[in-house]
Amino acid sequence: MTRSILTGLVCSALTLTAAPALAQTEEAPTGPPAGPPEGVQAGQGGPPDSVFDDTWINIGFGVAYSPSYSGSDDYVFNPLPVVQGSVAGVDISPRPAGLALDFIPDTDDGPNITFGPAIRLRNDRADQIEDPVVIAAGELDRAVEVGAATGISFPKLLNPFDSLTLGADIRWDVAGAHGGMVIDPSITYSTPVNRGTFVSLSLGTEYASDDFADYYYSVSATQSAASGLPQFVADGGFTKVSATTLVAVDMDGNALNGGLNAVVIGGYSRLIDDAKNNPYTAIRGKADQFFVGVGLGYTF
């Protein structure tokens, strides 16, 4: 994974608290609440009030420990600010150093379709390079990738509050860095385990165009002369497979009333094909990429 990919994954974790999953219905899940549901008087029935019933915003901040570039075996710390929410019926979701919008309203029973624009900033090998040989090959420009995010979500598979989501982002660089296209498909299962704790598992991959692969994985004659790395010509294709898991906990035990939440996230990716075989990875780094992150968020 690139540093910015890791950043985006932890940013997503910061905002994937139990409450958005619970907000698919107005009822609270079974669990060990300390008292009557928020907004419901003791001895009365009915759904609890939820901060997610209308406009809501989650602001989060965390720290990730992740590879300094895609394929690196050097690890660095990164700060992770994030914003997620729903405003006027438009959902705002974090992306790796970016965001996506969803203009299609959800229903309680689904399946639910998502579609909207997506944007992200890619910082791979643009800064924080720790390897002097890779530094000698030269820093790269930051890419600005713009495109669309789409997917389909199936709620209530194993319990009234879980969901399975199939999604993909497709983006093109508009800043003249790699100048190519990237597709990020994923599948995610999410479920609360009680009113205040949420868990999620995501499996994903990445497909990149020839221009993308050539920019990040090829070693030109000039780069070879500067760094001593052998020349290499990379082709486009699948670049990695990955798995990410997270646990989010609402600090007062009731995600429906918003407030402070904490997240722990961990992930692993395996670079494949030319993302694995290029000298930046095969000689100077490793195909196995790990990351961990922790964060705090506040929902209102």
Side-chain angles (χ1 to χ4, degrees), residues 126-223:
D127 56 20
Q128 286 192 291
I129 304 172
E130 299 295 309
D131 189 318
V133 173
V134 179
I135 291 175
E139 292 186 346
L140 302 180
D141 293 330
R142 289 175 174 83
V144 179
E145 298 171 357
V146 177
T150 187
I152 183 170
S153 179
F154 302 92
K156 304 181 181 180
L157 293 182
L158 303 179
N159 65 65
F161 309 103
D162 69 350
S163 67
L164 181 70
T165 302
L166 308 176
D169 287 9
I170 179 170
R171 302 178 308 273
W172 292 264
D173 173 34
V174 298
H178 64 75
M181 176 194 70
V182 185
I183 303 175
D184 293 328
S186 64
I187 180 171
T188 302
Y189 177 75
S190 306
T191 185
V193 295
N194 55 45
R195 187 179 296 178
T197 304
F198 173 87
V199 297
S200 177
L201 173 65
S202 297
L203 304 177
T205 186
E206 179 183 72
Y207 180 88
S209 67
D210 287 340
D211 289 336
F212 178 101
D214 181 62
Y215 190 70
Y216 290 110
Y217 304 133
S218 290
V219 180
S220 68
T222 299
Q223 290 171 323

Side-chain angles (χ1 to χ4, degrees), residues 5 28 66 106 115 118 162 228 248 262 292-294:
I5 288 173
S66 58
D106 289 345
F115 183 79
D162 69 350
V292 294
V294 295

Side-chain angles (χ1 to χ4, degrees), residues 22 26 48-50 96 142 157 163 225 241 289-290:
L22 306 186
E26 292 183 289
D49 293 336
S50 170
R142 289 175 174 83
L157 293 182
S163 67
V241 292
Q289 307 275 276
F290 299 90

Side-chain angles (χ1 to χ4, degrees), residues 69-70 125 133-138 140 210-235 274-284:
Y69 66 85
S70 178
R125 291 205 352 247
V133 173
V134 179
I135 291 175
L140 302 180
D210 287 340
D211 289 336
F212 178 101
D214 181 62
Y215 190 70
Y216 290 110
Y217 304 133
S218 290
V219 180
S220 68
T222 299
Q223 290 171 323
S224 177
S227 65
L229 294 172
Q231 294 186 42
F232 185 86
V233 178
D235 295 322
D274 282 352
K276 169 188 174 183
N277 297 326
N278 72 85
Y280 302 114
T281 303
I283 297 176
R284 302 304 303 179

